[in-house]
Amino acid sequence: LPQNLAGLDVSARGILALASGVNGSSATLYHSDGTHGTEVFTTPLSSIRTAFTGKDGYFAFTKPTAALPGYAYLIDSKGRFSSIAGPLYGLAALPSPDGTKALISSSADGVLRLSLVDITAGTTISLPVATIADKCVWASDSSAAYCGVPSSPPVSYAYPDDWYQGAVSFNDRIWKIDVASRFAQLTLDFSKETKQPLDATALSIDAGAKALVFVNKIDDSLWSFKL
């Protein structure tokens, strides 16, 4: 793969490599061995994050910061952008595997918010829990998402910037968000099980939704929880 890439995403479809510069960004799809690169879309936006979503689509959003409003986009197989969220300060996003939904987090005055965008219907609803989208993972069938949700996060910080930079840590519990019912169910109270705080990141779930794996950002320890 080329050097100095701005981002990577990997799926069964291959490797999505993002290159960014002062003139914008371009995404190239490679085979899983890094060969046969084909440019799939370009954009004048120079500071974005990208991902696979759906059967042949892509997803992009501006890099999150509390200082600027952000936007999220769905990108079709022909490289055409459609806006699905924004402008929202601190916007971070996580598309569902089937490409029909996305979790959108944002912040205002130090308060976190989390919403569910139904891309197909063009609707947005607020969810009963609030966190940063990077602290979530979708089930492989897109029926539910699991998130590390902070308990009483302090409002004197700029989110998500201060969390990314390590200026603030959270004490999370893991919640399951059922998409159809919009119902949030407590899955794991980490502090009660282990007697230590959890700041969940890099969440991953197996195809059968039997195990949730995550990293505790506080000490970089790796954990697995049987669902």
Side-chain angles (χ1 to χ4, degrees), residues 183-200:
F183 177 77
Q185 179 182 5
L186 180 61
T187 299
L188 171 64
D189 191 335
F190 189 83
S191 61
K192 286 187 176 180
E193 298 288 340
T194 66
K195 308 304 180 185
Q196 60 180 296
L198 168 67
D199 191 350

Side-chain angles (χ1 to χ4, degrees), residues 4-88:
N4 301 316
L5 291 170
L8 281 175
D9 193 28
V10 180
S11 79
R13 291 161 56 189
I15 301 171
L16 184 65
L18 180 71
S20 296
V22 293
N23 295 320
S25 303
S26 64
T28 303
L29 179 62
Y30 293 90
H31 288 185
S32 57
D33 62 359
T35 63
H36 299 88
T38 302
E39 187 177 83
V40 290
F41 65 83
T42 62
T43 173
L45 297 171
S46 61
S47 186
I48 60 172
R49 290 167 56 183
T50 57
F52 290 103
T53 190
K55 183 179 179 181
D56 55 7
Y58 307 94
F59 192 88
F61 63 96
T62 50
K63 287 188 176 180
T65 174
L68 294 170
Y71 299 82
Y73 304 92
L74 187 68
I75 309 162
D76 66 18
S77 59
K78 297 185 183 298
R80 296 174 297 203
F81 280 59
S82 300
S83 178
I84 67 163
L88 292 169

Side-chain angles (χ1 to χ4, degrees), residues 104-144:
I104 304 292
S105 64
S106 61
S107 65
D109 299 323
V111 177
L112 291 168
R113 294 180 174 86
L114 186 67
S115 300
L116 175 68
V117 174
D118 187 322
I119 298 172
T120 304
T123 58
T124 301
I125 65 164
S126 296
L127 292 172
V129 293
T131 188
I132 300 169
D134 283 342
K135 297 169 71 65
C136 298
V137 63
W138 283 96
S140 60
D141 62 0
S142 302
S143 64

Side-chain angles (χ1 to χ4, degrees), residues 133-224:
D134 283 342
K135 297 169 71 65
C136 298
V137 63
W138 283 96
S140 60
D141 62 0
S142 302
S143 64
Y146 293 84
C147 296
V149 178
S151 300
S152 303
V155 297
S156 56
Y157 291 90
Y159 297 123
D161 309 54
D162 285 340
W163 179 73
Y164 288 140
Q165 295 165 9
V168 62
S169 294
F170 297 140
N171 186 12
D172 294 341
R173 294 187 293 178
I174 304 294
W175 289 77
K176 176 184 178 182
I177 302 169
D178 185 277
V179 171
S181 65
R182 276 54 167 180
F183 177 77
Q185 179 182 5
L186 180 61
T187 299
L188 171 64
D189 191 335
F190 189 83
S191 61
K192 286 187 176 180
E193 298 288 340
T194 66
K195 308 304 180 185
Q196 60 180 296
L198 168 67
D199 191 350
T201 188
L203 284 77
S204 180
I205 192 169
D206 69 305
K210 295 181 179 179
L212 177 68
V213 177
F214 53 88
V215 171
N216 189 347
K217 192 171 181 286
I218 294 173
D219 58 7
D220 288 330
S221 56
L222 180 66
W223 295 80
S224 177

